[in-house]
Amino acid sequence: MLTYETLDTPDGPFTVVEADAAVVAAGWSADADELLARSRHRGEAASPGAVASADAVRAYYDGDADAVAATRIGPVGTEFRVRVWDALHAIPAGETRTYGEVAAALGSPNASRAVGAACGANAIALFIPCHRVTGAYGALTGFAWGVDVKRSLLERERARLAVSSRSDAP
């Protein structure tokens, strides 16, 4: 059974769809069907209700950028795409990597376009942090939910890191 919940965020409505307590689709839309069309659950119906991951989204927007990283997710993709998505989890909040850097880290330095395609196929936005991947030289490119949302997420994460590092200073 698929259940979805839509949350109000500073970046607009954010909907999370869960199946068996795992996030299977998420993004900045109030339309669960739109999100499901990007996932392996295309064409299936979801019912509105409370989802466990909603607390992680709220915590993220309240300043805990790592809250979503601990959430159970259910991505489905090719072996390479799953490897890319796993690599994105290794990018610390507030930091970015280029498509080429991710490809090189996976041992496929010529696969930057394939990394971009994996990011574009990510049906679980925010939980798989494809917003932390940029074009060459840090250019903000290619985000399904718009470059403005990508910029907002990165600025939010960087601002939180700056506050944390100041409070950790002697």
Side-chain angles (χ1 to χ4, degrees):
M1 180 169 142
L2 297 171
T3 305
Y4 73 91
E5 184 172 351
T6 301
L7 307 158
D8 290 324
T9 75
D11 296 313
F14 185 82
T15 300
V16 182
V17 183
E18 289 185 359
D20 300 320
V23 178
V24 296
W28 288 268
S29 171
D31 185 349
D33 291 335
E34 174 188 2
L35 298 172
L36 288 169
R38 297 176 49 85
S39 78
R40 69 180 167 105
H41 295 280
R42 175 181 9 258
E44 294 182 43
S47 300
V51 296
S53 56
D55 287 340
V57 174
R58 289 183 193 97
Y60 176 89
Y61 277 99
D62 285 341
D64 182 1
D66 295 323
V68 293
T71 302
R72 186 167 167 248
I73 59 175
V76 174
T78 65
E79 179 183 336
F80 181 79
R81 286 183 176 179
V82 171
R83 286 179 52 221
V84 170
W85 298 333
D86 287 344
L88 302 185
H89 276 283
I91 303 171
E95 293 185 19
T96 60
R97 302 290 184 273
T98 66
Y99 297 105
E101 288 171 332
V102 173
L106 293 173
S108 301
N110 296 322
S112 59
R113 287 190 176 144
V115 168
C119 288
N122 175 19
I124 308 175
L126 190 62
F127 297 93
I128 296 176
C130 57
H131 63 276
R132 296 180 188 153
V133 184
T134 65
Y137 310 107
L140 295 185
T141 60
F143 190 58
W145 309 106
V147 173
D148 289 341
V149 172
K150 185 173 192 167
R151 181 179 297 109
S152 174
L153 296 171
L154 291 171
E155 287 173 356
R156 176 173 285 101
E157 291 176 7
R158 289 174 180 149
R160 191 66 180 150
L161 283 178
V163 168
S164 293
S165 65
R166 282 195 301 265
S167 64
D168 292 342

